[in-house]
Amino acid sequence: MLFPRIPILGLFFIFLYLSIQAEFYHLGKAPGISLPPHVAPDTAPTPNYYSAVFLYNVRNVLEFGAVGDGIADETEAFKVAWDEACQAEESATLFVPAGYSFMLQSTIFSGPCKNNLTLQIDGTLMPPDGPELWPKNISKRQWLVFYRINGMTMRGNGVIDGRGEKWWNLPCKPHRGINGTTLPGPCDSPIGVRFFMSSNLKVERLKMKNSPQFHIRFDSCQHVKVDMLTIKSPADSPNTDGIHIENSNNVQIHNLLISNGDDCISIGAGSHDLEIKNITCGPSHGISIGSLGSKNSRACVWNITVRDSVIKNSDNGVRIKTWQGGSGSVTKITFKNIYMDTVRNPIIIDQYYCLTKDCVNQTSAVSVNDILYRNIKGTYDTRSLPIHFGCSDSVPCTNLTLSEVELLPAKGRVVGNPFCWNAYGNTQTVTIPPVYCLMGGYPPLIMQSGKEQC
């Protein structure tokens, strides 16, 4: 009889439907603020990747002379394996196996490659342990560089360990002198992983920790997808941005867990068309556009969306920071569906950014225009104000829009008043706190000439 089978089959499809819906909700498809990404386990199970269907044409670094004891210099073995995988006629995988630690010197892995290469990292990669062991004839500004690559995936269950502590303790670092001052001495520190002049990149599922400087940086890159990374360094580790983006476009950064000593994500000049989504950030310095316009430079940043994220126990929330004397513009920026948990400066525009106390006042500035803050809620650290719009005397911030903003003190009941200076915009809904200091309309005169705009 077929009839008794129908309920069982129906139950199966109902279960399948609910499973799919649950997966969509986990990925942030449900309305409202997405759930933060799950923390990856400390030790992930190691599958047999040789038998897995997604690895093809494998080059295992052990077969090219790598030892994996964490002591031997594995640079040459990795370069030879890279060259062979890169020049393979069919899609190839450069495989770094689990259970091994590989020490690499500063290295440039160059393209273009003949195929869409995969770098599968299941072991641990690490540089020499500190500046004293860094070769004197090699630049101290970068460690692993991927140059002119078109079509590459970097992923795995492994760890990229920057071994940054000895770099952070150089006398020149901000926390080494009295009251945060620096001391004289060499200061160059390497970026952990840098992609330069590359396109069609995927970086996913890795753990990165303790970089001497930025953990990962994209310079002059296009069509980038970053997903499911865990990035960690101590809260007092200087300049350890999680991800920095410069002169790059069409970048998607999704589902990251970041805690570090600087910005979780920082966006530099020349960047546009970025989507940053489902980030759990903190402790850190928040998510920042800038700093821009240093040394009277021109900077253009536009079409940036930061959404569905959590920022906690951080010095800043969502921030735009520019130096006096610059030119260009920051425009068409959206911050929405962001939860703040005990954050200083949850919403901040600072057009007087300066790292010392002796910056000279200048009239020109990077203009800030068309910024939307929607559904920004949570608590702020009362050592700072919940909203700070510090805009240039000569180049006001314009078209700032706030909607569904509710920021309450993490301790106490007194809600601090926002600060505005030369800031123009509007509130679409009642905000907590009210932003009465925001001026309506548009400034009658902007001194910056059109040729300096982007």
Side-chain angles (χ1 to χ4, degrees):
M1 295 176 62
L2 294 178
F3 181 75
R5 297 182 183 179
I6 295 175
I8 298 174
L9 185 61
L11 287 173
F12 170 76
F13 281 110
I14 290 172
F15 176 77
L16 179 62
Y17 172 79
L18 292 175
S19 299
I20 293 171
Q21 293 301 307
E23 179 66 15
F24 269 91
Y25 187 87
H26 171 69
L27 293 174
K29 302 294 183 183
I33 299 178
S34 310
L35 295 175
H38 290 297
V39 180
D42 290 334
T43 54
T46 305
N48 181 359
Y49 285 105
Y50 281 116
S51 62
V53 297
F54 58 84
L55 283 192
Y56 301 96
N57 205 8
V58 175
R59 269 68 170 176
N60 187 330
V61 295
L62 296 177
E63 298 171 357
F64 291 82
V67 178
D69 61 1
I71 300 172
D73 184 350
E74 316 279 23
T75 310
E76 189 60 29
F78 270 68
K79 290 184 72 173
V80 173
W82 169 272
D83 289 343
E84 185 168 313
C86 181
Q87 296 306 313
E89 295 296 334
E90 299 180 354
S91 295
T93 298
L94 179 57
F95 182 57
V96 180
Y100 297 89
S101 295
F102 302 93
M103 193 280 288
L104 301 175
Q105 304 288 354
S106 177
T107 306
I108 299 176
F109 296 99
S110 297
C113 295
K114 293 183 178 180
N115 61 79
N116 292 326
L117 188 147
T118 296
L119 175 54
Q120 182 77 28
I121 302 172
D122 291 324
T124 298
L125 302 182
M126 54 192 183
D129 189 13
E132 293 298 321
L133 296 180
W134 201 272
K136 298 189 185 311
N137 61 337
I138 296 179
S139 171
K140 292 183 172 68
R141 296 188 177 184
Q142 54 193 21
W143 175 38
L144 301 180
V145 181
F146 297 89
Y147 175 60
R148 289 190 179 277
I149 311 297
N150 180 15
M152 173 182 167
T153 298
M154 176 189 288
R155 66 183 176 197
N157 293 317
V159 178
I160 298 178
D161 182 356
R163 305 171 91 179
E165 184 174 359
K166 294 178 181 178
W167 297 93
W168 306 331
N169 290 327
L170 288 172
C172 65
K173 298 298 181 177
H175 67 298
R176 298 293 291 166
I178 299 174
N179 296 325
T181 59
T182 61
L183 299 174
C187 209
D188 284 348
S189 300
I191 296 166
V193 176
R194 182 186 183 203
F195 289 92
F196 182 43
M197 296 181 68
S198 296
S199 58
N200 297 305
L201 305 171
K202 292 182 181 179
V203 182
E204 56 192 23
R205 297 187 178 276
L206 287 166
K207 298 177 188 176
M208 308 180 78
K209 66 178 185 178
N210 299 335
S211 181
Q213 205 189 130
F214 301 161
H215 284 78
I216 184 168
R217 175 169 177 149
F218 296 96
D219 279 306
S220 301
C221 293
Q222 297 81 39
H223 303 290
V224 177
K225 293 184 179 180
V226 181
D227 191 21
M228 295 293 288
L229 298 187
T230 299
I231 300 175
K232 291 187 177 182
S233 64
D236 63 351
S237 56
N239 306 119
T240 53
D241 295 43
I243 296 178
H244 180 76
I245 304 157
E246 192 95 10
N247 291 311
S248 296
N249 62 76
N250 292 291
V251 178
Q252 296 178 353
I253 300 176
H254 297 170
N255 307 312
L256 269 59
L257 178 64
I258 305 175
S259 59
N260 60 350
D262 212 303
D263 298 323
C264 285
I265 299 171
S266 56
I267 299 166
S271 297
H272 61 92
D273 297 301
L274 274 58
E275 182 187 60
I276 298 166
K277 178 180 177 182
N278 202 23
I279 310 299
T280 297
C281 168
S284 72
H285 292 184
I287 297 175
S288 295
I289 296 175
S291 61
L292 304 173
S294 63
K295 299 179 181 178
N296 303 108
S297 62
R298 175 180 170 86
C300 299
V301 174
W302 70 99
N303 285 349
I304 311 294
T305 298
V306 180
R307 59 178 295 181
D308 305 337
S309 295
V310 175
I311 301 176
K312 57 184 181 180
N313 304 115
S314 296
D315 286 352
N316 303 283
V318 289
R319 174 169 59 160
I320 298 172
K321 50 181 177 176
T322 70
W323 295 77
Q324 294 185 75
S327 62
S329 68
V330 177
T331 186
K332 296 183 180 178
I333 311 298
T334 297
F335 301 107
K336 69 178 181 180
N337 301 341
I338 299 175
Y339 182 77
M340 305 286 180
D341 180 1
T342 319
V343 174
R344 299 182 68 174
N345 304 305
I347 294 174
I348 177 170
I349 296 175
D350 181 7
Q351 287 193 283
Y352 297 89
Y353 183 72
C354 177
L355 296 178
T356 65
K357 295 181 179 180
D358 56 358
C359 291
V360 178
N361 287 331
Q362 301 184 59
T363 56
S364 64
V366 178
S367 71
V368 177
N369 171 63
D370 197 6
I371 315 297
L372 172 63
Y373 302 93
R374 173 167 289 159
N375 196 23
I376 312 294
K377 299 179 179 180
T379 60
Y380 68 95
D381 185 323
T382 55
R383 290 176 294 173
S384 299
L385 298 176
I387 298 172
H388 179 110
F389 293 139
C391 302
S392 167
D393 287 333
S394 56
V395 188
C397 302
T398 56
N399 198 21
L400 308 181
T401 302
L402 291 84
S403 176
E404 301 174 83
V405 172
E406 299 177 9
L407 296 168
L408 298 172
K411 293 182 179 180
R413 297 183 178 180
V414 178
V415 179
N417 291 321
F419 171 81
C420 303
W421 182 262
N422 220 12
Y424 289 78
N426 68 92
T427 57
Q428 294 181 337
T429 64
V430 174
T431 65
I432 302 175
V435 192
Y436 297 130
C437 60
L438 194 63
M439 294 184 286
Y442 202 79
L445 177 65
I446 297 180
M447 291 177 60
Q448 188 172 16
S449 64
K451 68 178 182 179
E452 294 175 313
Q453 299 284 328
C454 296

